[in-house]
Amino acid sequence: MSTGTLITVAPTGAEHAKSDVPNLPVTLEELVRTAQDCERVGAAMIHVHIRGADTTPTLDLQRLKDTVAALREETSLVVQLSTGGAVTDPEEDRLRVLDAMPDSASCTMGTVNFGDDVFMNRWEFIVELHKRMQDRGIVPEYEIFDLGQLASLHRLLDQHGLPSGGHVHVDLVMGVPGGMPGDAETLVAALRMIPDGATFSATGIGRTSLPVMLAALSAGGHLRVGMEDTISYARGERVRDNAQLVARAAGLAKIAQRPPMPVAEVRTLLKVAQSN
Ligand code: KMH
Ligand code: ZN
């Protein structure tokens, strides 16, 4: 069991509209301020989706590069870019995200129904993402939306080798309508399929946020929280900001006697280069 807890914040995502969620960080300034606030209360990694000037999701490469540079300048967080993007993003744009050279990038291990949409991740696309990250020294976080995707992860590692740095880290994204449920029983089932030596974090979408967080902590896992995954803090109460969610996760991690991991420790764990 790990002695500390890696807390990742996913502050924005690609699904919520700024008009519906006015406190969603969408500008670079808002994102950097959010990142600093979250680092202060215990986050060590940030999972980033960016928005364009019109506040809708974009994978514009220059904007991604500027975002990575600003987060490196203003925080010491491990910077993870999403290659998942929005369900409408073409594969070539999602692959180009890696040209922004983040510390880490997400790599979803299969296609999944995503509410009324389909989040498409063909096998050849997954392999291409994995290989490009290997070549560039970018550390993947394998995003798992359903149990079969863990079987695909074993197949990927068997056929194409370990990721950059040699350590495997997965994130269980639970409670997406169309994916695996967000409950303790499913989390335990997923853990039986995780590669030997791998670490995991978990996040519960919407109202599964708390049950998944508590189950992950009790199973020795790490946590991802943020407004990408939930915009309600409690029944009938909207999230104030991302730092509120990180602070709650940090508090629970302390109660579990696995306090938030400092960034340098996380970099060592995930085999991400130390920041300057
Ligand atoms: N926005 C979802 C369609 C990832 O970031 O890699 C995909 C997603 C996963 O959020
Ligand atoms: Zn994401």
Side-chain angles (χ1 to χ4, degrees), residues 174-176 181-183 203-214 230:
M174 310 183 73
V176 168
D183 56 36
T203 187
I205 303 300
R207 71 183 57 147
T208 71
S209 178
L210 270 172
V212 166
M213 186 154 34
L214 293 167
T230 184

Side-chain angles (χ1 to χ4, degrees), residues 12-30:
T12 308
E15 281 70 41
H16 301 302
K18 179 78 168 171
S19 51
D20 296 336
V21 187
N23 53 346
L24 194 71
V26 295
T27 66
L28 183 53
E29 203 187 357
E30 287 169 348

Side-chain angles (χ1 to χ4, degrees), residues 112-115 145 173-182 203-205 208:
V112 63
N113 284 326
F114 197 83
F145 287 73
V173 184
M174 310 183 73
V176 168
M180 63 183 150
T203 187
I205 303 300
T208 71

Side-chain angles (χ1 to χ4, degrees), residues 28 55 63 124 136 144 179 265 268 276:
L28 183 53
T55 78
R63 247 183 145 84
E124 289 83 357
R136 293 167 196 206
I144 306 296
E265 245 176 74
T268 303
N276 301 320

Side-chain angles (χ1 to χ4, degrees), residues 13-15 47-49 81-87 94 106-108 114 119 143 145 224 228:
E15 281 70 41
H47 168 86
V48 180
H49 291 252
L81 289 183
S82 164
T83 66
V87 289
R94 293 171 57 191
S106 56
C107 178
T108 295
F114 197 83
F119 179 28
E143 306 279 342
F145 287 73
R224 175 176 122 175
E228 172 168 346

Side-chain angles (χ1 to χ4, degrees), residues 20 39 84 98 102 117 131-132 142 144 156 174 183 198 258:
D20 296 336
E39 183 174 9
L98 301 178
D117 298 308
K131 287 208 246 176
R132 287 195 194 189
Y142 299 103
I144 306 296
L156 182 74
M174 310 183 73
D183 56 36
R258 292 188 37 234

Side-chain angles (χ1 to χ4, degrees), residues 149-183:
Q149 295 183 4
L150 283 165
S152 294
L153 177 58
H154 282 277
R155 181 179 175 217
L156 182 74
L157 300 174
D158 287 349
Q159 289 186 3
H160 299 284
L162 288 168
S164 171
H167 178 73
V168 176
H169 181 69
V170 310
D171 181 46
L172 306 174
V173 184
M174 310 183 73
V176 168
M180 63 183 150
D183 56 36

Side-chain angles (χ1 to χ4, degrees), residues 18-247:
K18 179 78 168 171
S19 51
D20 296 336
V21 187
N23 53 346
L24 194 71
V26 295
T27 66
L28 183 53
E29 203 187 357
E30 287 169 348
L31 182 67
V32 167
R33 201 177 327 118
T34 297
Q36 290 170 325
D37 291 345
C38 291
E39 183 174 9
R40 221 170 281 126
V41 293
M45 178 149 77
I46 185 164
H47 168 86
V48 180
H49 291 252
I50 62 164
R51 302 292 175 101
D54 63 357
T55 78
T56 63
T58 179
L59 295 178
D60 178 81
L61 182 57
Q62 191 54 51
R63 247 183 145 84
L64 286 166
K65 285 182 176 171
D66 292 346
T67 302
V68 171
L71 289 169
R72 286 202 175 126
E73 183 72 28
E74 304 293 339
T75 77
S76 60
L77 294 170
V78 176
V79 179
Q80 177 184 93
L81 289 183
S82 164
T83 66
V87 289
T88 46
D89 284 323
E91 289 180 351
E92 66 204 80
D93 292 4
R94 293 171 57 191
L95 286 167
R96 202 182 310 114
V97 167
L98 301 178
D99 295 350
M101 290 301 289
D103 300 310
S104 170
S106 56
C107 178
T108 295
M109 287 309 306
T111 296
V112 63
N113 284 326
F114 197 83
D116 295 340
D117 298 308
V118 176
F119 179 28
M120 184 70 84
N121 293 283
R122 295 181 314 113
W123 174 248
E124 289 83 357
F125 173 71
I126 294 169
V127 170
E128 190 58 34
L129 264 180
H130 176 78
K131 287 208 246 176
R132 287 195 194 189
M133 283 196 243
Q134 275 175 330
D135 290 346
R136 293 167 196 206
I138 297 170
V139 172
E141 176 176 272
Y142 299 103
E143 306 279 342
I144 306 296
F145 287 73
D146 217 339
L147 296 186
Q149 295 183 4
L150 283 165
S152 294
L153 177 58
H154 282 277
R155 181 179 175 217
L156 182 74
L157 300 174
D158 287 349
Q159 289 186 3
H160 299 284
L162 288 168
S164 171
H167 178 73
V168 176
H169 181 69
V170 310
D171 181 46
L172 306 174
V173 184
M174 310 183 73
V176 168
M180 63 183 150
D183 56 36
E185 211 175 354
T186 307
L187 187 129
V188 169
L191 295 191
R192 292 199 191 101
M193 296 177 67
I194 281 183
D196 288 346
T199 48
F200 80 96
S201 61
T203 187
I205 303 300
R207 71 183 57 147
T208 71
S209 178
L210 270 172
V212 166
M213 186 154 34
L214 293 167
L217 274 177
S218 70
H222 303 282
L223 306 177
R224 175 176 122 175
V225 292
M227 293 173 74
E228 172 168 346
D229 301 334
T230 184
I231 52 170
S232 75
Y233 188 76
R235 193 183 292 268
E237 185 185 338
R238 281 284 183 106
V239 167
R240 192 181 60 233
D241 55 26
N242 281 285
Q244 183 189 30
L245 292 171
V246 173

